[in-house]
Amino acid sequence: MELTDSHGRTINYLRLSITDRCNMRCFYCMPKEGIVNKGHDAVLSYEELLLIAESAIGLGIEKIRITGGEPLVRSGVVRFLVQLGTIPGLRHLALTTNGLLLAEMADDLFKAGVQRLNVSLDSLKPQTFNEITRGGDLHRVLAGLDAAEQVGFSPPKINCVIMRGVNDNEILDFADMTLSHGNSIRFIEYMPAIKEEGWQRYCISGAEILERITSRYTLEPVDKGAFAGPSRDFRITGAQGSIGIITAVSGHFCSDCNRIRVTSTGQAKGCLFSDDKTDLVPCLRPPDREKLAALLRGIVSGKPERHAISAEGYAHKNFTMSQIGG
Ligand code: SAM
Ligand code: SF4
C-alpha cells in the first residue's frame, strides 16, 4: 500500500522517538539548564509504541528510525527492537544514537535486527566535542563506531551539524574521513530549534559547506538508495564513503520529504518545524486501532507543503529537538 500526502509525496518513513531523556546536553538541542523530563506515565510504553508502528506500517510506512532523546538510555530497548523487527511489512529498521553507549550495545543491536545506524558526531577534536555536547567523551563515540563495524554493521552514517565558529573548521577533516573509509558523512545545517541568544551566528548554508569541500575536492553526485531521505549525496572522486548535505533550513528539502514523526509522549507531527501536532494518546489508552489509523492518515494528509523557517527568520515556537527526535 502506498501512502501519499495531499502534495503528491510518498510518505514511507516514520521517525519514532522512544524517550526524551539523554546522556548528553548538546547546546543546539537542549537548553543549558536541561529540560524537565516527562514523567514515566507520559512516556509511551513499548506496547503503545509497537501499536503505533504496526498501525503506521499497515498504512504504508516501510522504514522506521528509532530516535530520542538518546534511544540507548531507555531500558528494554533491545527487546523492543526485536519485537518491532517482527512486524510484517517493515522493510527497514534504523536507529540514531549519540554513540556514547554504542561500544557496549552494538552487538545486541545488530542481533536485534537493526539494519542501519546513524551516529551523531559534530567534532573530531575532544575539546570541541566536549564543549558542543556539554560533557561528552569523544573517545567513547569513536569506540562505538569501531564496535559497530566489528559486530557486522556497515559503516554507520555520521550526522554532523555544522556551526559557524564552532566546528566549521572541521568540514574538510570530516570529508577526508570518507576517502579511506566507507562512512557516509551527512552535513546538517544548524536549525534554530531552541533559538538561544545570537543563534544566527551559527548558521552556515549547505551551499557554503559544499563550496568549502569543492575548494579541495571534485565531487560526483551519488544515486540515492531506497528509503534515502532528503539529503543531496556526493562522493569525492575515488573515495570509499560518501558525503550528504541536508539543507533543512536553506531549501531543496521539503519537496522530497517522505517522513512523519511521533514523539515519546505520543505527539504525531507531519513537519518538524510546524507547531501542529496530534495527540495519539486517546487512541492508545485504551487501544482503538481504527481511530489510531485515522489519526495517522490525518497527519499524512495534513503535511504542509513546506516549512517557513530560514536563517533570517522563523515561524515556529521554540522546541527542544531531544523531545521530538530530530
Ligand atoms: N540522541 C540521538 C543523537 O544525537 O543522535 C538521537 C536524537 S537527536 C535529537 C537526532 C539528531 O538531531 C542528531 O543528529 C542531532 O545532531 C540533530 N539535532 C538536534 N538539534 C539540532 C539542531 N538544532 N540543528 C540541527 N540538527 C539538530
Ligand atoms: Fe542528546 Fe541527541 Fe540532543 Fe545531543 S542531539 S542532546 S545527544 S538528544
Side-chain angles (χ1 to χ4, degrees), residues 3 20 33 37 40 52 62 64 68 79 94 103 155 157 169 187 191-192 204 231 249 258 267 282 286 307 312:
L3 190 59
D20 60 336
E33 60 281 10
N37 290 325
H40 281 295
I52 293 171
E62 297 175 305
I64 295 184
R79 188 161 169 268
K157 286 189 180 176
N169 57 355
F187 293 108
M191 304 175 214
I204 175 163
S231 64
V249 177
N258 60 348
Q267 308 305 304
H307 68 63
E312 291 79 41

Side-chain angles (χ1 to χ4, degrees), residues 39-215:
H40 281 295
D41 284 353
V43 173
L44 300 185
S45 66
Y46 282 133
E47 289 70 26
E48 290 165 339
L49 289 162
L50 287 167
L51 205 62
I52 293 171
E54 219 175 80
S55 182
I57 293 166
L59 293 174
I61 293 292
E62 297 175 305
K63 166 178 173 177
I64 295 184
R65 174 175 301 285
I66 298 304
T67 176
E70 172 49 39
L72 300 188
V73 301
R74 182 160 177 184
S75 69
V77 60
V78 172
R79 188 161 169 268
F80 164 70
L81 290 165
V82 171
Q83 289 173 315
L84 190 59
T86 62
I87 300 177
L90 179 64
R91 292 180 53 204
H92 194 82
L93 177 57
L95 181 137
T96 296
T97 171
N98 62 28
L100 272 188
L101 297 174
L102 195 51
E104 304 83 297
M105 296 182 68
D107 193 35
D108 285 345
L109 295 174
F110 189 70
K111 289 180 181 145
V114 175
Q115 287 153 284
R116 192 80 177 149
L117 289 176
N118 282 19
V119 176
S120 301
L121 177 60
D122 301 325
S123 177
L124 299 169
K125 299 178 182 169
Q127 182 62 26
T128 309
F129 182 84
N130 185 275
E131 282 164 19
I132 293 174
T133 58
R134 297 197 185 103
D137 179 357
L138 173 65
H139 298 294
R140 282 179 69 185
V141 180
L142 296 178
L145 283 168
D146 280 349
E149 284 190 60
Q150 271 167 27
V151 303
F153 280 107
S154 48
K157 286 189 180 176
I158 293 177
N159 287 350
C160 180
V161 178
I162 294 294
M163 293 157 286
R164 195 184 300 284
V166 177
N167 62 352
D168 61 322
N169 57 355
E170 295 186 61
I171 292 173
L172 288 172
D173 297 340
F174 276 106
D176 286 350
M177 279 176 75
T178 67
L179 292 175
S180 56
H181 205 79
N183 289 112
S184 110
I185 311 283
R186 288 134 41 94
F187 293 108
I188 303 176
E189 287 180 344
Y190 161 81
M191 304 175 214
I194 55 177
K195 294 183 283 203
E196 69 274 36
E197 186 73 23
W199 60 266
Q200 290 89 342
R201 70 180 182 279
Y202 299 127
C203 295
I204 175 163
S205 69
E208 186 176 338
I209 296 169
L210 262 185
E211 263 171 41
R212 303 249 197 125
I213 301 170
T214 52
S215 69

